[in-house]
Amino acid sequence: MTKKDVLEIRHRFSPATCSIGKICGCYVDGDRKKVAYIDSAFLSLPEEESFKYFDIFKKNLSGSIGKNLVTMPFPTESEFDDGTQSFLMKLRKSELRDPALVEEFYDKVIESYDYTGNYLILLIHDRYDIPGKTSDGITMDDASDEVYEYIMCSICHVNLSKAGLSYFDNDNTFHNRVRDWIVDMPDIGFLFPAFIDRSTDIHNVLYYTKNAEDLHFSFIDGILGTGAPVSAENQKETFQTIITETLGNNCDYEVVKSIHENLNEMITEQKDNPEPLTLSKTSIKRLLSESGVPDEKLEDFDTKFEDAAKTVVPVKPVSNDASVPEPPAPKVTLYANNLANTRAFEVKTPDVVIKVNPDRTDLIETREIDGKKCIVIEINDEVTVNGIVVK
């Protein structure tokens, strides 16, 4: 799903556009026991409560594409009976009105979600009558071609509010405040089916994680059954490994600087495109070539790329028989925004960190002075040390 797709669904969570039919929930304590349930027609909720739920649902569709929000395809086998996609299809078709099916979903979550504290499982069912659009992007509310029917799950931690003093107006003084159990914003969640090109895509699911480095693989495996996505940090490490292995002894400052300058330029050129910029094996090879990497260094690039991919997405052998060929290298999608920092260019040694405006990397160069390798910074403006201007 693109940012534009996500925003279209996100905009549904407001009083003027809401069409959510059903909301269900299960409160689970630290011992993994079900404590309480929610089962209600959403539009019958008090206005104050519905606004709080809207905040949760919107958060479930927020963050960076490819980092907090990842579209993941279902493997073919999951779409048959007893598969994870097949189960989600049944749950959607039931409109959350089959108590046994909803209870089974809660059990699956409790079994696969690794968390020791209290949490709330929220499920909603909705139908979105997708309005048509003219060729110039004007919405036609009376020209709908499809109804997007979906379920969305949000898993929120439930924590005690902070201790402190509170004002009590009945006796005009302060006392110890009563601590309440508060529902936090979602830790993880998903939207099924995916909403791609303004249409239903039952072969994909949109997964949300608050912490891009804590993807909850057991939940992904147990509830969604899709391949685990590569985290943003692992994408960055993979990219760095590819560059290091490809350049070898030619991994000097000027070449690396050129790679990151060209990558930042690619990101800037695509910033208004709703489709996130991704880098394939071919596009990375072209990036390195245009950044001054010699052709002889790129001769075995494909092998180095595939070796780096295997470190983040291990290939499972299909047989113990050595004569059976290994499966193909896994497909790794690298999102450009996860690979480069467009706000700062960083040069780091064990004792010194230098951060530079990416547009002014020309101010830094490496030189050998008196037989020592040095980082030289050109000064053409005032210099401050701990806020003090120095000469």
Side-chain angles (χ1 to χ4, degrees), residues 24-53:
C24 295
C26 178
Y27 180 35
V28 183
D29 67 14
D31 295 323
R32 297 194 170 192
K33 295 179 180 178
K34 301 167 189 170
V35 178
Y37 290 93
I38 299 169
D39 189 346
S40 178
F42 188 84
L43 296 179
S44 67
L45 295 175
E47 186 177 273
E48 295 82 359
E49 288 184 22
S50 63
F51 273 95
K52 298 297 184 295
Y53 283 119

Side-chain angles (χ1 to χ4, degrees), residues 6 9 29 40 47 93 105 145 166-167 170 182 195 197 202 209 214 218 240 319 360 362 376:
V6 172
I9 301 304
D29 67 14
S40 178
E47 186 177 273
K93 186 177 180 180
F105 176 79
D145 296 326
S166 183
Y167 175 72
N170 59 335
I182 305 296
F195 183 68
D197 293 331
I202 63 171
T209 176
D214 187 6
S218 60
Q240 292 169 344
S319 171
R360 296 312 313 271
D362 58 297
V376 179

Side-chain angles (χ1 to χ4, degrees), residues 23 42 70 79 127 179 210 219 225 264 271 334 357 376:
I23 181 169
F42 188 84
V70 185
E79 301 189 9
R127 283 192 177 92
R179 300 180 69 186
K210 177 182 178 181
F219 179 88
N264 283 343
K271 68 179 181 179
L334 301 179
N357 183 328
V376 179

Side-chain angles (χ1 to χ4, degrees), residues 97-109:
R97 300 182 188 282
D98 184 335
L101 207 56
V102 173
E103 193 73 20
E104 184 179 353
F105 176 79
Y106 295 152
D107 291 337
K108 288 177 179 288
V109 172

Side-chain angles (χ1 to χ4, degrees), residues 24-224:
C24 295
C26 178
Y27 180 35
V28 183
D29 67 14
D31 295 323
R32 297 194 170 192
K33 295 179 180 178
K34 301 167 189 170
V35 178
Y37 290 93
I38 299 169
D39 189 346
S40 178
F42 188 84
L43 296 179
S44 67
L45 295 175
E47 186 177 273
E48 295 82 359
E49 288 184 22
S50 63
F51 273 95
K52 298 297 184 295
Y53 283 119
F54 285 148
D55 289 340
I56 291 173
F57 303 152
K58 287 178 181 178
K59 193 65 178 179
N60 210 65
L61 295 178
S62 64
S64 301
I65 301 292
K67 188 174 184 179
N68 306 95
L69 292 169
V70 185
T71 303
M72 302 188 298
F74 290 101
T76 303
E77 59 270 19
S78 75
E79 301 189 9
F80 295 103
D81 288 343
D82 299 325
T84 51
Q85 189 262 14
S86 175
F87 177 77
L88 294 176
M89 288 289 287
K90 293 176 185 176
L91 197 61
R92 182 187 71 150
K93 186 177 180 180
S94 75
E95 302 180 6
L96 308 183
R97 300 182 188 282
D98 184 335
L101 207 56
V102 173
E103 193 73 20
E104 184 179 353
F105 176 79
Y106 295 152
D107 291 337
K108 288 177 179 288
V109 172
I110 294 170
E111 182 180 352
S112 60
Y113 183 55
D114 186 16
Y115 181 66
T116 56
N118 301 353
Y119 61 91
L120 176 64
I121 306 169
L122 285 176
L123 265 177
I124 59 170
H125 174 272
D126 187 18
R127 283 192 177 92
Y128 171 35
D129 198 1
I130 307 170
K133 285 192 175 182
T134 62
S135 58
D136 54 356
I138 298 176
T139 301
M140 301 181 295
D141 293 329
D142 58 345
S144 174
D145 296 326
E146 180 185 345
V147 174
Y148 170 57
E149 182 182 1
Y150 67 91
I151 56 174
M152 190 168 77
C153 172
S154 306
I155 298 183
C156 309
H157 296 170
V158 181
N159 294 308
L160 272 174
S161 58
K162 293 182 179 180
L165 292 174
S166 183
Y167 175 72
F168 289 78
D169 55 6
N170 59 335
D171 58 0
N172 196 32
T173 189
F174 291 86
H175 299 292
N176 188 41
R177 68 179 294 181
V178 176
R179 300 180 69 186
D180 299 316
W181 288 98
I182 305 296
V183 178
D184 292 340
M185 289 294 106
D187 180 46
I188 58 172
F190 66 84
L191 176 74
F192 173 79
F195 183 68
I196 298 177
D197 293 331
R198 308 193 73 240
S199 183
T200 303
D201 188 333
I202 63 171
H203 306 295
N204 285 277
V205 60
L206 180 70
Y207 180 69
Y208 166 80
T209 176
K210 177 182 178 181
N211 183 351
E213 298 311 314
D214 187 6
L215 297 176
H216 290 274
F217 294 124
S218 60
F219 179 88
I220 293 173
D221 183 57
I223 301 298
L224 305 179

